[in-house]
Amino acid sequence: MNDHDALLRAIGEQPEEDTPRLMYADWLEEQGQPERADFVRNQVELARPGLSAIERYRAVRRNVHYLSHFVKRWHAELPRIPNVEWGDFNRGLIEEVRAANERAIVARAAEIFAVPGVHVVRLWSLSDGGALAAVPELTRLRSFRLLGGAPAGTLRDLFRSPHLARLAALDLYNSRVDDALASEIADGRFRELRELLLGANAVGNVGGRALAASPHLAGLRKLDLRGNSLDHPTRALLLTKFASRVNL
């Protein structure tokens, strides 16, 4: 494995870490791509908390320069895959892939996840959770966002995947999640989960209490349960467990 491939593998395995991206920026500069290298470094810097007002101003100006003059070309260099749309650059790399449904992801997963940094999948609908669950490249996935919903059974098929253990963000807004599925999410299969968005679903007191009682969700930074039918005792349990981290 050469240095380039090793760096891309490190970025894929640790998409939240800055160090592999900065090492990739060094490699880009060594290959005669100083603008691309500076863009990666600048976006990494811009994403860090604690910048002073002047530091942020300078970083934003540099970012706007690259967005205006270079990013369109860099975006065009990405693989053209039918029915797949690439997201925006974040921390110097493309992190998100979007598709109408799971079929393109299943068919072209190797090409999609060969793009360094990709770890977010956003779908508008899901019809075959089992087919998506079988895709081994999902081990790269940290965030799954479903916009158009799916039957609870379809989601249950997806969540049986052995490749989703490192999922950190799960967005199932208005996706027909019921008590049984909420209880399964609470059972510890997603031990690295930090963001769980279940607004506008069919989660009731049974599912709400399962989430509140779960020892596996202590690391959640955000739990959205707005628009579900939860009584006052269940809401109290959730507030006791998650405090300001839960939206009811």
Side-chain angles (χ1 to χ4, degrees):
M1 182 182 297
N2 58 37
D3 290 345
H4 176 260
D5 291 343
L7 284 170
L8 297 189
R9 180 172 179 176
I11 292 169
E13 292 177 349
Q14 305 173 72
E16 304 89 353
E17 297 294 326
D18 290 342
T19 300
R21 294 178 189 239
L22 295 175
M23 293 175 66
Y24 181 56
D26 292 343
W27 182 88
L28 288 168
E29 189 156 24
E30 291 170 359
Q31 303 305 309
Q33 301 182 58
E35 296 87 1
R36 187 72 178 268
D38 187 58
F39 175 65
V40 174
R41 294 187 187 113
N42 187 63
Q43 283 212 325
V44 168
E45 182 72 14
L46 191 55
R48 288 175 174 168
L51 293 181
S52 68
I54 188 63
E55 287 172 332
R56 181 165 294 279
Y57 172 74
R58 290 171 178 165
V60 168
R61 285 195 64 183
R62 285 166 65 195
N63 193 52
V64 170
H65 168 73
Y66 287 118
L67 292 176
S68 301
H69 296 94
F70 290 90
V71 164
K72 185 176 181 180
R73 170 164 57 86
W74 293 336
H75 213 282
E77 294 171 358
L78 291 162
R80 294 190 177 185
I81 302 175
N83 303 312
V84 166
E85 177 185 346
W86 300 105
D88 299 323
F89 282 91
N90 185 39
R91 293 165 58 233
L93 298 169
I94 297 293
E95 295 187 336
E96 181 175 301
V97 62
R98 305 162 184 161
N101 54 56
E102 78 284 351
R103 287 191 286 275
I105 307 296
V106 172
R108 309 294 288 272
E111 294 170 77
I112 290 167
F113 286 97
V115 175
V118 170
H119 65 278
V120 180
V121 168
R122 186 184 300 267
L123 301 181
W124 272 257
S125 67
L126 176 67
S127 58
D128 191 342
L132 185 58
V135 172
E137 287 82 4
L138 293 189
T139 55
R140 286 267 304 275
L141 203 63
R142 300 294 180 273
S143 177
F144 178 73
R145 303 187 183 277
L146 181 62
L147 303 182
T154 300
L155 290 170
R156 190 170 289 112
D157 290 341
L158 173 61
F159 295 161
R160 292 192 182 106
S161 174
H163 308 302
L164 292 175
R166 297 188 65 189
L167 200 67
L170 183 57
D171 183 354
L172 299 175
Y173 179 83
N174 195 25
S175 292
R176 289 174 271 177
V177 176
D178 55 16
D179 280 333
L181 192 56
S183 298
E184 291 187 24
I185 293 172
D187 71 5
R189 65 189 62 198
F190 305 127
R191 293 180 180 271
E192 297 187 19
L193 205 61
R194 297 295 178 264
E195 180 180 288
L196 178 58
L197 307 182
L198 298 177
N201 277 292
V203 180
N205 296 325
V206 172
R209 288 172 182 262
L211 293 169
S214 174
H216 309 294
L217 299 179
L220 275 185
R221 298 169 187 160
K222 183 176 182 180
L223 172 60
D224 189 351
L225 286 167
R226 291 174 293 181
N228 289 283
S229 298
L230 303 169
D231 64 17
H232 290 296
T234 302
R235 289 169 179 264
L237 288 171
L238 288 161
L239 286 168
T240 299
K241 174 69 173 284
F242 298 108
S244 61
R245 295 174 291 155
V246 62
N247 292 320
L248 297 170

